[in-house]
């Protein structure tokens, strides 16, 4: 994840929750991508703090730092080194088709070349560790497809080197929408005051935000054909609760919007409460988080080194 702002429930339901659930099935590696963050100007002092805040939120949400490696991208320079190699094997046209780049281009007056090359760095983040599965939200599916294509292209050009990873989207919660504009995905960079529920928002703010969320003009929940805002609230509830489709229908079909909003609020507040409590305890002493990040980087560095040795051998970069 990028340490560019408060993590919101879209980040949690789209990615972090799946990471927590899957972590003991594998040898997980979780990165905080500060090189990605600076594709857009970041206040330097703020960025330091935000990196540690995101790490604390990973752990507070249930990532076990004894089992999983948690580290900061720029602590392992091989990410940038491999990204350059990928920038060289990636056709310009592939990057031009990335919808996230096109959307950001429209939002900003001036765009750095780093934003254009962003997906090659993301491919490096993944392929450096020969990752088999990458659990992400739906907005990253296109970048993951590109990552797969880059791995295949490199393998064709230079010989079998990279594992071609699988994208894993959650069944529910892969695309959480803005509360104020339910046709747009919930995003850290959106400016509307009623747009996103952040993981650290207190209960009264969550209540207010959900209370103001856009619904539709029907009298109650039309479960088979809800408007975008109502569908979003139902999705948020289902993703947090883990309820089945049948349970959802039985409980919510025909419900008045005031009652729906109360149920969603209670669910979100109760699920975020333990995360917030853990976060407070963890950040009381920043030394613990810094130690976790240091150890994480030390654990992944040998894997990165091994991959880069292979890349140097395959591409003919100087090893003398
Ligand atoms: P980012 O905010 O780009 O650093 O994204 C971190 C992770 O959160 C990625 O796996 C995204 O796919 C996921 N994510 C971001 N926004 C949403 C959203 N609105 N709904 C679901 N997943 C999201």
């Amino acid at each position: 994840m990028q340490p560019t702002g408060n993590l919101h429930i879209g980040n949690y339901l789209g990615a972090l929750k799946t990471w927590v659930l899957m972590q003991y099935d594998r040898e997980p590696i979780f990165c905080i991508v500060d090189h990605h963050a600076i594709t857009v100007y970041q206040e330097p002092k703020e960025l330091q703090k935000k990196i540690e805040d995101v790490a604390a939120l990973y752990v507070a949400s249930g990532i076990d730092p004894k089992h999983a490696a948690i580290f900061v991208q720029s602590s392992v320079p091989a990410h940038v080194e491999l990204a350059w190699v990928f920038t060289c094997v990636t056709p310009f046209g592939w990057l031009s088709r990335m919808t996230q780049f096109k959307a950001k281009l429209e939002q900003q007056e001036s765009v750095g070349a780093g934003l254009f090359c962003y997906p090659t760095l993301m491919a490096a983040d993944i392929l450096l560790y020969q990752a088999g599965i990458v659990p992400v939200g739906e907005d990253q599916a296109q970048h993951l497809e590109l990552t797969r294509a880059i791995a295949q292209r490199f393998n064709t050009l230079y010989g079998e080197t990279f594992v071609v990873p699988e994208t894993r989207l959650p069944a529910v919660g892969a695309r959480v929408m803005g509360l104020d504009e339910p046709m747009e995905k919930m995003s850290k960079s959106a400016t509307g005051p009623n747009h996103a529920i952040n993981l650290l928002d207190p209960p009264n703010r969550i209540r207010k935000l959900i209370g103001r969320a856009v619904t539709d003009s029907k009298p109650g929940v039309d479960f088979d054909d809800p408007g975008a805002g109502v569908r979003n609230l139902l999705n948020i509830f289902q993703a947090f609760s883990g309820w089945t489709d049948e349970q959802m229908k039985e409980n919510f079909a025909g419900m008045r919007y005031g009652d729906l909003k109360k149920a969603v609020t209670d669910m979100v507040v109760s699920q975020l409460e333990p995360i917030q409590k853990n976060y407070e305890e963890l950040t009381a002493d920043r030394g613990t988080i810094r130690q976790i990040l240091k150890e994480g980087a030390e654990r992944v560095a040998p894997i990165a080194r091994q991959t880069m040795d292979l890349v140097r051998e395959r591409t003919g970069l100087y090893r003398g």
Side-chain angles (χ1 to χ4, degrees):
M1 291 200 193
Q2 291 190 65
T4 45
N6 287 322
L7 296 192
H8 51 65
I9 59 168
N11 299 127
Y12 179 73
L13 298 173
L16 191 47
K17 187 165 184 257
T18 319
W19 300 356
V20 173
L21 290 173
M22 284 180 66
Q23 63 181 324
Y24 295 111
D25 302 346
R26 331 231 138 221
E27 290 168 51
I29 295 178
F30 300 116
C31 185
I32 296 156
V33 292
D34 54 348
H35 274 302
H36 283 279
I38 61 163
T39 52
V40 175
Y41 179 80
Q42 304 292 325
E43 205 51 60
K45 277 211 187 86
E46 280 281 293
L47 185 59
Q48 293 292 303
K49 180 177 175 297
K50 283 177 179 171
I51 290 167
E52 290 171 6
D53 290 350
V54 171
L57 271 171
Y58 283 6
V59 178
S61 298
I63 300 288
D64 174 0
K66 291 207 170 63
H67 177 62
I70 304 174
F71 72 103
V72 184
Q73 184 182 34
S74 65
S75 307
V76 184
H79 286 246
V80 181
E81 206 179 339
L82 185 58
W84 174 252
V85 176
F86 288 161
T87 303
C88 296
V89 303
T90 306
F92 190 85
W94 289 7
L95 294 174
S96 314
R97 284 196 283 278
M98 294 297 109
T99 53
Q100 202 166 74
F101 171 72
K102 288 195 267 187
K104 287 193 174 168
L105 193 61
E106 279 170 22
Q107 282 167 14
Q108 286 159 38
E109 277 174 20
S110 151
V111 161
L115 203 58
F116 184 70
C117 297
Y118 181 115
T120 59
L121 179 56
M122 178 162 162
D125 299 336
I126 295 163
L127 301 179
L128 191 54
Y129 302 103
Q130 308 287 8
I133 295 181
V134 189
V136 286
E138 199 183 84
D139 62 327
Q140 291 303 329
Q142 193 188 32
H143 288 160
L144 255 298
E145 266 320 300
L146 185 76
T147 298
R148 291 163 53 82
I150 291 172
Q152 280 156 347
R153 189 172 168 90
F154 186 99
N155 288 350
T156 306
L157 279 173
Y158 291 111
E160 211 53 40
T161 307
F162 291 108
V163 170
V164 180
E166 184 192 314
T167 309
R168 184 69 61 86
L169 301 182
V172 186
R175 191 172 185 83
V176 176
M177 311 306 275
L179 295 177
D180 56 347
E181 42 181 359
M183 302 302 281
E184 301 290 328
K185 72 158 187 169
M186 187 174 283
S187 135
K188 291 186 199 128
S189 54
T191 47
N194 302 321
H195 179 80
I197 300 173
N198 294 321
L199 295 189
L200 298 175
D201 280 344
N204 57 357
R205 183 172 148 77
I206 295 172
R207 195 164 297 114
K208 218 183 272 174
L209 282 169
I210 295 177
R212 290 178 186 161
V214 171
T215 50
D216 55 44
S217 55
K218 296 179 186 179
V221 176
D222 178 353
F223 196 83
D224 296 318
D225 185 24
V230 175
R231 181 178 297 120
N232 191 34
L233 290 175
L234 290 168
N235 271 339
I236 291 170
F237 184 97
Q238 188 171 16
F240 269 114
S241 65
W243 283 18
T244 62
D245 291 347
E246 291 72 39
Q247 282 174 304
M248 290 295 294
K249 184 165 185 167
E250 207 171 291
N251 193 67
F252 288 110
M255 185 181 273
R256 289 191 339 222
Y257 293 146
D259 294 334
L260 167 68
K261 286 179 168 181
K262 184 175 180 315
V264 178
T265 304
D266 290 347
M267 176 55 66
V268 175
V269 167
S270 69
Q271 295 284 312
L272 294 188
E273 200 182 12
I275 296 175
Q276 295 177 353
K277 198 166 155 278
N278 291 341
Y279 178 86
E280 233 165 77
E281 283 169 16
L282 265 165
T283 47
D285 166 19
R286 295 228 154 214
T288 311
I289 286 299
R290 287 180 191 142
Q291 189 59 26
I292 288 171
L293 290 173
K294 186 167 172 283
E295 280 170 20
E298 284 165 3
R299 275 163 68 181
V300 299
I303 312 173
R305 212 171 299 126
Q306 199 180 0
T307 305
M308 280 317 296
D309 283 349
L310 193 59
V311 168
R312 271 191 211 102
E313 188 187 311
R314 294 277 200 262
T315 53
L317 287 170
Y318 193 57
R319 288 178 292 138

